[in-house]
Amino acid sequence: MAGNSFGSLFRLTTFGESHGKAIGGVLDGCPAGLTLDLSEIQKDLNRRKPGQSAIVTQRKEPDTVEFYSGIFEGKTTGTPIGFAIHNTNQKSHDYSHIKDSYRPSHADYVYDQKYGFRDYRGGGRSSARETASRVVAGAIAKQLLSDIKINAFVSQVGELKLDKHYKDLDFNFIESNPVRCPDPESAAKMEAYIKEIKKEGDTIGGIITCVAQNVPIGLGEPVFDKLHAELGKAMLSINAVKGFEFGSGFAGVTMKGSEHNDQFNTDGTTKTNNSGGVQGGISNGMDIYFNVAFKPVATVLQAYDTIDKDGNPVTTQGKGRHDPCVVPRAVPIVEAMTALVLADFMLLNRSTKL
Amino acid sequence: MAGNSFGSLFRLTTFGESHGKAIGGVLDGCPAGLTLDLSEIQKDLNRRKPGQSAIVTQRKEPDTVEFYSGIFEGKTTGTPIGFAIHNTNQKSHDYSHIKDSYRPSHADYVYDQKYGFRDYRGGGRSSARETASRVVAGAIAKQLLSDIKINAFVSQVGELKLDKHYKDLDFNFIESNPVRCPDPESAAKMEAYIKEIKKEGDTIGGIITCVAQNVPIGLGEPVFDKLHAELGKAMLSINAVKGFEFGSGFAGVTMKGSEHNDQFNTDGTTKTNNSGGVQGGISNGMDIYFNVAFKPVATVLQAYDTIDKDGNPVTTQGKGRHDPCVVPRAVPIVEAMTALVLADFMLLNRSTKL
Amino acid sequence: MAGNSFGSLFRLTTFGESHGKAIGGVLDGCPAGLTLDLSEIQKDLNRRKPGQSAIVTQRKEPDTVEFYSGIFEGKTTGTPIGFAIHNTNQKSHDYSHIKDSYRPSHADYVYDQKYGFRDYRGGGRSSARETASRVVAGAIAKQLLSDIKINAFVSQVGELKLDKHYKDLDFNFIESNPVRCPDPESAAKMEAYIKEIKKEGDTIGGIITCVAQNVPIGLGEPVFDKLHAELGKAMLSINAVKGFEFGSGFAGVTMKGSEHNDQFNTDGTTKTNNSGGVQGGISNGMDIYFNVAFKPVATVLQAYDTIDKDGNPVTTQGKGRHDPCVVPRAVPIVEAMTALVLADFMLLNRSTKL
Amino acid sequence: MAGNSFGSLFRLTTFGESHGKAIGGVLDGCPAGLTLDLSEIQKDLNRRKPGQSAIVTQRKEPDTVEFYSGIFEGKTTGTPIGFAIHNTNQKSHDYSHIKDSYRPSHADYVYDQKYGFRDYRGGGRSSARETASRVVAGAIAKQLLSDIKINAFVSQVGELKLDKHYKDLDFNFIESNPVRCPDPESAAKMEAYIKEIKKEGDTIGGIITCVAQNVPIGLGEPVFDKLHAELGKAMLSINAVKGFEFGSGFAGVTMKGSEHNDQFNTDGTTKTNNSGGVQGGISNGMDIYFNVAFKPVATVLQAYDTIDKDGNPVTTQGKGRHDPCVVPRAVPIVEAMTALVLADFMLLNRSTKL
């Protein structure tokens, strides 16, 4: 209930602060008998980890996951999968600039208000470092959902927009550039722009689009736990996310029903897919696609005014290493959360019928 | 787990099909000792009910709620509040046109696929009629949260956009017109446009904006159950919703961190509110505001092509009564879901500190 | 979380006070496609209802269940099954003797302390009347578990003990007498004894034994949600229950491992069944059997000393109608709770393996 | 849902197999600001660990807990407390005698049936080794509940029964002997008896009595989550437990209501306490006391007949180190589970009233 678990049958519980001993989690409810390729899990962690390219934070964390349980002779046993990622970059930093003052648009202030105090070393629990645990569990979910293809990619950085329908893109290009945009030309522009932003010590927002293909019909539970509602919650729970839309999304608002309705083909597929693969909260077998909006990261390497714990105004200088744009590293996180949602609904759906 | 419950400590479970005997629910976890004004609950139901104006469906349902338990001598007892709304409009209709064929962009097809068969009288469980139960529970939540002001209103219909910041609006005008737009001039245009759409037998989408004011600091749980993530899920669980954004939302994508960051005043409030009242998933005391995108209703009163159960193409004529635009009636639903989320987090927050 | 729900995938939420308008519930998660025999449900309700014989309370309640949703053309639809039992016996009683004073060993005092006040008409929510809703849901669970045979019966009343192993009993005799003891001779003695107790205006305790046969191997989840742990919780949640033991139970304490261990037959069954059909929290295919201890009902028709709300000593006279021994009417409740536990674990078990 | 979590607001999730890398868990929902004495936690672990005396298994495990998160500057932060106990005793054993054959009254057979295969090194997940994680979380709960005194002790070993009321015992003597029986004379007899059993290579059952004193009025939720029902589930979830009774328990069955009812004193306490400190599922401020029955451990160091995976009869010799009687080491586990239940209900009770 305290917000550190996700999923019902396929359920991840995470722990850990950015500068504590370790982060990690327990994945409970993974069915027994799944042959796990551990290198695939580490590969997704590497896609998320800092220091992987010139346009992400240069902090060094190997982010190597250690599994404690739930896997035996290469297969899941049906018992909980406990794992940890030890924090190696937790040397005695100087935290004086953030211990007693609040960084604007960070969670420092609300944590102090909610809990009475906080682990002031870095972002503590509110740091996006926590998402590494999600990537571990998501990578396991992907292997469980081997028939489903989940591809996320960067479709916008600041004003730079990838103006192509996802069907006209080759997802094989996603990992070909540090931005994770499948269109090489757009990717190059975005990369140059992010470098510019970085030089200014500033940050910029962006959009990640995600497409899940080959999803079986019937996933999602009616009324409150609609498939797209859980996907929306999953995405909004990722640090820096400010918006979610699926299918026709916000653009659907201006359409008429007669043009928005997806007409059926005789095999149950539809001629158009404004529904985004979900009808009444349940997958209909068409591609599920959605957009996730990320705000610019709050950590800027510039001087800024703020207040200290006693409400006194102070001026501080942002320092160290930071992500000028969060979306390239967030791509595997979006995929991971998508996989967690789909895996859970796949298991839930086993109880739908007699 | 089957998706008919919402909330953890303040928890609503609903039941009921559009053309069954009754819809209703159980609200569990409402604290004891709350004096309930039952007429306020009925008032919110009346804002949602069909037939209330010329621009909504003309179906007749009194939507009178009957309480069975949990209230004694005018106050909540702390035990579950059971309630039902009896369906009066369930005369023996002719359902032959929807029994064996699938309406495009409705849930008919996926229900048949998921459950093996469906209650084909109207939308059954997938009908928006179910949201009446949410309005009942939400109206109780509002009374529990008496210090918090929740105002939702229509801010866009089709291309017609209310181009004013919510701070420049007088919420007292929301109920002054059938559209529920607080700007009379915009409201008049929207109303005329909806009538036009209705005449065509077509439908149109829209946006509802919601503002929650005077929310205490500290609501929301970190990591997975962030305040805005639950709000997003709550909104996306409402029929016809395709998108959710809060604070700077999708527009925040194009901003730089240096301009997006909300600088503190010395009292902990912020000079700007791009964060939309939520930092790191936790309310910071500023106004919470968000937009909810609704697609055009799928039921159009025109001829359309579709398929029957066996995959044969059929042509059907939409008939009866329908909502040309769903947003005016969805305003109290958005408010209700907002209240349910906030009430739950308020109770959860009682366990945060020693 | 407020304690009015039971089960995870097959989940019952109940509402209602003994003297309110209605009691009832919502059963969520029943798989679609189950053909329901409603008369079987009513039959179990009749086995629980007051006034059915000379040895139970003579209060008159028809206890007719009305279904609101989730059943269509005789089959479950997979959507929540809402139901209510209207209270007919709620005429304006004189509650003055219990409104302001506390009946010993009732929940009056703790409800006032916990909630600040209480619905003082009868037992309110703490009345065993609430268990009628469990019987409804349990009767549906029984139909879902049609291959499993669940038989509960009275095995002890006061000192009168049925000294036969359950394998030597013919369960067909359970309903042949008002005590619900399958041994006619013992039943006659028990019945006579209960009548004597009734004449004294007193009450007496008893034990119900329950046997579940033909349970598939594999039900129950390791560690915290062991099959027998959930059964124990289910039984202990029934009013007046003070103890639970399964398999060898308390008697197993004095046995040595070498005699307690159940040796295997070559087909995986065991030669003895001290384990009571459960190993490590998981059903092993052998009969599941357990005992449930009920204390004597607290309502006695005698004068007694107690205190009022202000702590003043008062003397009161118990009056009206009461159950001299609760176990005959509790037999269908024990069966219902057993069925709810097994149905839930049966659905959960669908996610155990790939 | 897969059974590895316990509690709702104060929630423990555990992981780990007996012979894997580590066991451990995540404790979520512990309120912020609790000053933790880590040595007290280790002290409880030491009371549970193997090798502590001549009457328990001589296996060597230091059972040192390592905390990863949720504690900062000596206090809980309100974020999840992740911890691990590394298994040091996992050298390459010879498991051939249990890999392919099933030990009677162990979980080997049902795990293979339920999951398709199992981690056959020792008991895997079904080993009581898992309870060490419960002791860690329970020791934290005890510190949260500092006003409540929880004392468990051995009250029976085989036929040797401690025939004294708990009020006539001095709990300070519990830790004075390896049996953990507070009556030195009885303890000596029990100890001698256990040594005898050990010499035979056999095992014997026992009973643990637990008393929780100074529990505030109002803990426990009505209907399904009654305080004693959760306590019962908690106890029955401990390995080898076969029965649970509280207050008058099974003996209450033979009492009449007129003698069983607990008469009130004018301060709301009661003259007797047959209720065991719980009325209607809610604590009434009197001592909570209950008995937990443990069967004899299944591992005997004798030859026994059993079957292999293919159903062939085999004869095996139990070997190695074992607990001749489990109750001395189970005392801290019973206390831990009691503390977890009470801590959870204490937090839940914060939402009962306005």
Side-chain angles (χ1 to χ4, degrees):
Chain A
M1 316 296 317
N4 298 290
S5 297
F6 188 82
S8 48
L9 289 179
F10 192 86
R11 183 171 180 85
L12 171 67
T13 300
T14 70
F15 66 83
E17 278 81 38
S18 59
H19 290 70
K21 274 197 183 175
I23 61 169
V26 183
L27 178 62
D28 200 12
C30 184
L34 176 66
T35 300
L36 278 186
D37 182 340
L38 300 185
S39 70
E40 284 296 313
I41 300 171
Q42 190 60 48
K43 200 182 286 178
D44 265 352
L45 274 175
N46 293 346
R47 292 169 74 208
R48 198 213 72 97
K49 83 172 174 187
Q52 63 181 278
S53 77
I55 60 169
V56 306
T57 176
Q58 297 306 302
R59 198 154 51 90
K60 290 271 174 288
E61 283 281 5
D63 279 359
T64 308
V65 62
E66 184 180 16
F67 289 101
Y68 287 148
S69 65
I71 306 169
F72 185 59
E73 299 183 338
K75 287 194 291 189
T76 58
T77 60
T79 62
I81 300 171
F83 62 89
I85 299 168
H86 288 269
N87 291 330
T88 58
N89 194 15
Q90 40 148 185
K91 30 187 162 145
S92 56
H93 282 290
D94 175 14
Y95 298 106
S96 51
H97 67 301
I98 56 172
K99 180 181 174 186
D100 297 320
S101 78
Y102 298 125
R103 291 168 296 171
S105 288
H106 273 87
D108 305 342
Y109 174 75
V110 290
Y111 266 66
D112 260 16
Q113 293 285 320
K114 183 177 178 75
Y115 297 106
F117 77 119
R118 73 184 198 281
D119 184 339
Y120 51 73
R121 299 168 303 168
R125 185 66 179 151
S126 75
S127 162
R129 176 145 186 74
E130 156 270 321
T131 56
S133 300
R134 309 187 187 199
V135 169
V136 172
I140 295 172
K142 282 180 185 176
Q143 297 191 38
L144 180 65
L145 304 166
S146 53
D147 290 341
I148 299 178
K149 299 299 156 216
I150 301 172
N151 282 289
F153 57 88
V154 171
S155 58
Q156 187 168 346
V157 171
E159 303 276 5
L160 297 172
K161 210 168 174 169
L162 171 59
D163 269 326
K164 287 185 181 167
H165 192 273
Y166 76 82
K167 294 219 164 172
D168 300 325
L169 297 169
D170 182 346
F171 294 157
N172 291 313
F173 282 99
I174 295 174
E175 294 299 314
S176 71
N177 59 75
V179 181
R180 296 202 165 85
C181 172
D183 182 62
E185 203 179 338
S186 304
K189 283 184 202 160
M190 290 170 176
E191 186 178 351
Y193 181 54
I194 295 173
K195 284 182 175 164
E196 204 177 299
I197 290 286
K198 190 185 169 190
K199 242 179 259 168
E200 297 171 17
D202 214 331
T203 61
I204 189 74
I207 291 180
I208 292 177
T209 297
C210 184
V211 185
Q213 295 172 303
N214 213 21
V215 177
I217 303 178
L219 304 197
E221 299 298 322
V223 181
F224 296 111
D225 299 345
K226 291 183 164 88
L227 174 49
H228 57 270
E230 282 296 341
L231 282 172
K233 177 181 168 176
M235 297 308 137
L236 288 155
S237 77
I238 300 173
N239 306 48
V241 172
K242 304 295 285 183
F244 171 85
E245 59 176 2
F246 77 107
S248 61
F250 276 87
V253 160
T254 61
M255 294 170 78
K256 291 186 181 176
S258 54
E259 54 179 336
H260 191 279
N261 284 350
D262 295 318
Q263 305 301 326
F264 281 104
N265 296 310
T266 52
D267 62 355
T269 62
T270 57
K271 297 180 203 299
T272 51
N273 185 16
N274 290 309
S275 302
V278 185
Q279 285 295 17
I282 296 167
S283 62
N284 67 354
M286 302 295 292
D287 290 352
I288 294 175
Y289 62 97
F290 52 86
N291 292 323
V292 188
F294 289 78
K295 68 163 191 173
V297 179
T299 303
V300 292
L301 303 192
Q302 305 176 338
Y304 58 85
D305 296 324
T306 188
I307 56 169
D308 68 14
K309 280 178 126 167
D310 305 313
N312 302 311
V314 291
T315 302
T316 307
Q317 171 68 40
K319 49 188 166 183
R321 297 155 297 189
H322 83 308
D323 274 295
C325 181
V326 79
V327 285
R329 287 180 58 206
V331 164
I333 307 168
V334 164
E335 290 176 5
M337 293 308 296
T338 303
L340 289 177
V341 169
L342 294 176
D344 198 32
F345 279 126
M346 195 198 68
L347 295 184
L348 282 168
N349 201 35
R350 292 187 181 180
S351 296
T352 301
K353 281 189 250 188
L354 216 48
Chain B
M1 317 295 317
N4 298 290
S5 296
F6 189 82
S8 49
L9 289 179
F10 192 87
R11 183 170 180 86
L12 171 67
T13 300
T14 70
F15 66 83
E17 277 81 40
S18 60
H19 290 71
K21 274 197 181 176
I23 61 168
V26 183
L27 178 61
D28 200 12
C30 185
L34 176 66
T35 300
L36 277 186
D37 183 340
L38 300 184
S39 70
E40 284 295 316
I41 300 170
Q42 190 59 50
K43 200 181 288 179
D44 265 353
L45 274 175
N46 293 347
R47 294 169 73 208
R48 197 213 72 97
K49 82 173 174 187
Q52 62 182 280
S53 78
I55 59 169
V56 305
T57 175
Q58 298 305 303
R59 199 155 48 90
K60 288 272 175 285
E61 282 283 4
D63 279 0
T64 308
V65 61
E66 183 179 17
F67 288 101
Y68 287 149
S69 63
I71 306 169
F72 184 59
E73 297 183 340
K75 287 193 293 188
T76 59
T77 60
T79 62
I81 300 171
F83 63 89
I85 299 169
H86 288 268
N87 291 330
T88 58
N89 194 16
Q90 38 149 184
K91 27 186 165 145
S92 58
H93 282 289
D94 175 14
Y95 297 107
S96 52
H97 66 301
I98 55 173
K99 180 181 175 186
D100 297 320
S101 77
Y102 299 124
R103 292 167 296 171
S105 289
H106 273 86
D108 304 342
Y109 174 74
V110 290
Y111 266 65
D112 260 16
Q113 293 285 321
K114 183 177 178 75
Y115 297 106
F117 77 120
R118 72 183 200 281
D119 183 341
Y120 52 73
R121 300 167 301 169
R125 185 67 181 151
S126 74
S127 162
R129 176 143 186 74
E130 157 271 320
T131 56
S133 299
R134 308 186 187 200
V135 169
V136 172
I140 295 173
K142 282 180 185 176
Q143 296 191 38
L144 180 64
L145 303 167
S146 54
D147 289 342
I148 299 178
K149 299 298 156 216
I150 300 172
N151 282 288
F153 56 88
V154 171
S155 58
Q156 187 167 344
V157 172
E159 303 276 5
L160 297 172
K161 207 169 177 167
L162 171 60
D163 268 326
K164 285 185 180 168
H165 192 272
Y166 75 83
K167 294 220 164 172
D168 300 325
L169 297 169
D170 182 347
F171 294 157
N172 291 313
F173 283 98
I174 295 173
E175 293 299 313
S176 71
N177 60 76
V179 181
R180 294 202 167 87
C181 171
D183 182 62
E185 203 178 338
S186 304
K189 285 184 200 158
M190 291 170 176
E191 187 179 351
Y193 181 55
I194 295 173
K195 283 181 176 164
E196 205 176 299
I197 290 287
K198 191 185 170 189
K199 241 178 265 168
E200 298 171 16
D202 214 330
T203 61
I204 188 73
I207 292 180
I208 292 176
T209 297
C210 183
V211 185
Q213 295 172 302
N214 213 20
V215 177
I217 304 177
L219 303 196
E221 298 298 322
V223 181
F224 296 111
D225 298 345
K226 293 185 163 86
L227 174 49
H228 57 270
E230 282 296 340
L231 283 171
K233 176 180 169 177
M235 297 308 137
L236 288 155
S237 77
I238 301 172
N239 306 47
V241 172
K242 304 295 284 185
F244 171 85
E245 59 176 1
F246 77 107
S248 60
F250 276 87
V253 158
T254 60
M255 293 170 78
K256 291 185 180 177
S258 54
E259 54 178 337
H260 190 279
N261 284 351
D262 295 316
Q263 305 300 326
F264 281 105
N265 297 310
T266 52
D267 62 356
T269 61
T270 57
K271 295 179 205 298
T272 51
N273 185 15
N274 289 310
S275 302
V278 185
Q279 285 294 18
I282 297 167
S283 63
N284 68 354
M286 302 296 291
D287 290 354
I288 294 174
Y289 63 97
F290 53 85
N291 291 323
V292 189
F294 289 78
K295 67 162 191 175
V297 179
T299 304
V300 292
L301 302 191
Q302 306 176 339
Y304 58 85
D305 296 324
T306 188
I307 56 170
D308 68 13
K309 280 177 126 169
D310 305 312
N312 302 311
V314 290
T315 302
T316 307
Q317 171 69 39
K319 48 187 165 184
R321 298 155 297 190
H322 83 308
D323 276 294
C325 181
V326 80
V327 286
R329 285 180 60 205
V331 164
I333 307 168
V334 165
E335 289 176 6
M337 293 308 295
T338 303
L340 289 177
V341 169
L342 294 176
D344 198 31
F345 278 128
M346 196 198 69
L347 295 184
L348 281 168
N349 201 35
R350 291 186 181 181
S351 297
T352 301
K353 282 190 249 189
L354 217 50
Chain C
M1 317 296 317
N4 298 291
S5 296
F6 188 82
S8 47
L9 288 180
F10 192 85
R11 183 171 179 85
L12 171 66
T13 300
T14 71
F15 65 83
E17 278 81 39
S18 60
H19 289 71
K21 275 197 181 176
I23 61 169
V26 183
L27 178 62
D28 199 13
C30 186
L34 176 67
T35 301
L36 278 186
D37 182 341
L38 300 185
S39 70
E40 283 297 313
I41 300 171
Q42 191 59 48
K43 200 182 288 179
D44 265 352
L45 274 175
N46 293 347
R47 293 169 73 210
R48 197 214 71 97
K49 82 172 173 186
Q52 63 182 276
S53 78
I55 59 168
V56 306
T57 177
Q58 297 306 303
R59 199 154 50 90
K60 290 270 175 289
E61 284 281 6
D63 279 0
T64 308
V65 61
E66 183 180 16
F67 289 100
Y68 288 149
S69 64
I71 306 168
F72 184 60
E73 298 182 339
K75 287 194 291 188
T76 58
T77 60
T79 63
I81 300 171
F83 62 89
I85 299 168
H86 288 267
N87 291 331
T88 58
N89 194 17
Q90 40 150 180
K91 29 184 164 151
S92 57
H93 282 289
D94 176 14
Y95 297 108
S96 52
H97 67 301
I98 54 171
K99 179 181 176 187
D100 296 320
S101 78
Y102 298 124
R103 292 167 296 171
S105 289
H106 273 87
D108 305 342
Y109 174 75
V110 290
Y111 266 66
D112 261 16
Q113 293 285 320
K114 184 177 177 76
Y115 297 105
F117 77 119
R118 72 183 199 282
D119 183 340
Y120 51 73
R121 299 168 302 169
R125 186 66 180 150
S126 74
S127 163
R129 177 146 186 72
E130 157 269 321
T131 57
S133 299
R134 308 186 188 200
V135 170
V136 172
I140 295 171
K142 283 181 185 176
Q143 297 190 39
L144 180 65
L145 304 167
S146 54
D147 290 341
I148 299 178
K149 299 298 157 216
I150 300 171
N151 281 289
F153 57 88
V154 171
S155 58
Q156 188 168 344
V157 171
E159 303 275 6
L160 296 173
K161 208 167 174 168
L162 171 59
D163 269 326
K164 285 185 180 165
H165 192 273
Y166 76 82
K167 295 219 164 172
D168 301 325
L169 297 169
D170 182 346
F171 295 157
N172 292 312
F173 283 98
I174 295 174
E175 294 299 314
S176 72
N177 60 76
V179 182
R180 295 202 166 86
C181 172
D183 182 61
E185 203 180 337
S186 304
K189 285 184 202 159
M190 291 171 177
E191 186 177 352
Y193 181 54
I194 294 172
K195 283 181 175 164
E196 204 177 300
I197 290 287
K198 190 185 170 190
K199 243 179 261 168
E200 297 171 18
D202 215 331
T203 62
I204 189 73
I207 292 181
I208 291 176
T209 298
C210 183
V211 185
Q213 295 173 302
N214 213 21
V215 177
I217 304 178
L219 304 196
E221 298 298 322
V223 181
F224 296 111
D225 299 345
K226 293 186 162 87
L227 173 50
H228 57 270
E230 282 297 339
L231 283 171
K233 177 180 168 177
M235 298 307 139
L236 288 156
S237 78
I238 300 172
N239 305 49
V241 172
K242 304 295 285 185
F244 171 86
E245 59 176 2
F246 76 107
S248 61
F250 276 87
V253 159
T254 61
M255 293 170 78
K256 291 186 182 176
S258 54
E259 54 178 336
H260 191 279
N261 283 352
D262 296 317
Q263 305 300 327
F264 281 104
N265 296 310
T266 52
D267 61 356
T269 62
T270 57
K271 296 180 203 299
T272 52
N273 186 13
N274 289 309
S275 303
V278 185
Q279 286 294 18
I282 297 166
S283 63
N284 68 354
M286 301 296 290
D287 290 353
I288 294 174
Y289 63 97
F290 53 84
N291 291 323
V292 189
F294 289 78
K295 68 162 191 174
V297 179
T299 304
V300 292
L301 303 191
Q302 305 176 338
Y304 59 84
D305 295 323
T306 190
I307 56 170
D308 67 14
K309 280 178 128 168
D310 305 312
N312 301 311
V314 291
T315 301
T316 308
Q317 171 67 40
K319 48 188 167 183
R321 297 155 297 189
H322 83 307
D323 275 294
C325 182
V326 78
V327 285
R329 286 180 61 205
V331 163
I333 307 168
V334 164
E335 290 176 4
M337 293 308 295
T338 303
L340 289 177
V341 169
L342 294 176
D344 198 32
F345 279 127
M346 195 198 69
L347 295 184
L348 281 168
N349 201 36
R350 292 187 180 179
S351 297
T352 301
K353 282 190 248 188
L354 216 47
Chain D
M1 314 300 316
N4 298 289
S5 297
F6 189 82
S8 49
L9 288 179
F10 192 86
R11 183 170 179 87
L12 172 67
T13 300
T14 70
F15 65 83
E17 279 80 40
S18 60
H19 290 71
K21 274 197 182 174
I23 60 167
V26 183
L27 178 61
D28 200 12
C30 185
L34 176 66
T35 301
L36 277 186
D37 182 340
L38 300 184
S39 70
E40 283 296 315
I41 299 171
Q42 191 59 49
K43 200 182 289 178
D44 265 353
L45 274 175
N46 293 346
R47 293 169 73 207
R48 197 213 72 96
K49 82 172 174 188
Q52 63 182 278
S53 79
I55 59 169
V56 306
T57 176
Q58 297 305 303
R59 198 154 50 89
K60 290 271 174 288
E61 282 281 5
D63 279 0
T64 307
V65 61
E66 183 180 16
F67 289 100
Y68 288 149
S69 64
I71 306 170
F72 185 58
E73 298 183 338
K75 287 193 292 188
T76 58
T77 60
T79 62
I81 300 171
F83 62 89
I85 299 169
H86 289 268
N87 290 332
T88 59
N89 194 17
Q90 40 151 179
K91 30 188 160 146
S92 57
H93 282 290
D94 175 15
Y95 298 107
S96 52
H97 66 301
I98 55 174
K99 180 181 174 186
D100 296 320
S101 78
Y102 299 125
R103 292 167 297 172
S105 288
H106 273 86
D108 305 341
Y109 174 74
V110 290
Y111 266 67
D112 260 14
Q113 293 286 319
K114 184 178 177 74
Y115 297 105
F117 76 120
R118 73 183 198 281
D119 183 341
Y120 52 73
R121 299 167 302 169
R125 186 65 181 152
S126 75
S127 162
R129 176 145 187 72
E130 157 270 321
T131 57
S133 299
R134 309 187 187 200
V135 170
V136 171
I140 294 172
K142 282 180 184 176
Q143 297 191 39
L144 180 66
L145 304 167
S146 53
D147 290 341
I148 299 178
K149 299 298 155 216
I150 300 171
N151 282 289
F153 56 88
V154 171
S155 58
Q156 188 168 344
V157 171
E159 302 277 4
L160 297 173
K161 209 167 177 168
L162 171 59
D163 268 326
K164 286 184 180 168
H165 193 272
Y166 76 81
K167 294 219 165 173
D168 300 325
L169 297 169
D170 182 346
F171 294 157
N172 291 313
F173 282 98
I174 295 174
E175 293 299 314
S176 71
N177 60 75
V179 181
R180 293 201 167 87
C181 172
D183 182 61
E185 205 179 337
S186 304
K189 283 184 201 159
M190 291 170 177
E191 186 179 352
Y193 181 54
I194 295 173
K195 284 181 176 165
E196 205 175 299
I197 291 286
K198 189 184 171 190
K199 241 179 263 166
E200 297 172 17
D202 214 330
T203 61
I204 189 74
I207 292 180
I208 291 177
T209 298
C210 183
V211 185
Q213 295 172 301
N214 213 21
V215 177
I217 304 177
L219 304 196
E221 299 299 322
V223 181
F224 297 111
D225 298 345
K226 292 184 163 86
L227 174 49
H228 57 269
E230 282 296 340
L231 282 172
K233 176 180 170 178
M235 298 307 138
L236 288 156
S237 78
I238 300 172
N239 306 49
V241 172
K242 304 295 285 185
F244 171 85
E245 59 176 2
F246 77 106
S248 61
F250 276 87
V253 159
T254 61
M255 293 170 78
K256 292 185 180 177
S258 55
E259 54 178 337
H260 191 278
N261 284 350
D262 296 316
Q263 305 300 327
F264 281 105
N265 295 311
T266 52
D267 62 355
T269 62
T270 57
K271 296 179 205 297
T272 51
N273 184 17
N274 289 310
S275 303
V278 185
Q279 285 293 19
I282 297 167
S283 62
N284 68 353
M286 302 295 292
D287 290 352
I288 294 174
Y289 63 97
F290 53 84
N291 291 324
V292 188
F294 289 78
K295 69 162 190 174
V297 178
T299 304
V300 292
L301 303 191
Q302 306 176 337
Y304 58 86
D305 296 323
T306 188
I307 57 169
D308 68 14
K309 281 177 124 168
D310 305 314
N312 302 310
V314 291
T315 302
T316 308
Q317 171 68 40
K319 47 188 166 183
R321 297 155 297 190
H322 83 309
D323 276 293
C325 181
V326 79
V327 285
R329 286 179 60 205
V331 164
I333 306 168
V334 165
E335 290 176 6
M337 294 307 296
T338 304
L340 288 178
V341 170
L342 294 176
D344 198 33
F345 279 127
M346 196 197 70
L347 295 184
L348 281 168
N349 201 35
R350 291 186 181 180
S351 297
T352 302
K353 281 190 250 190
L354 216 51

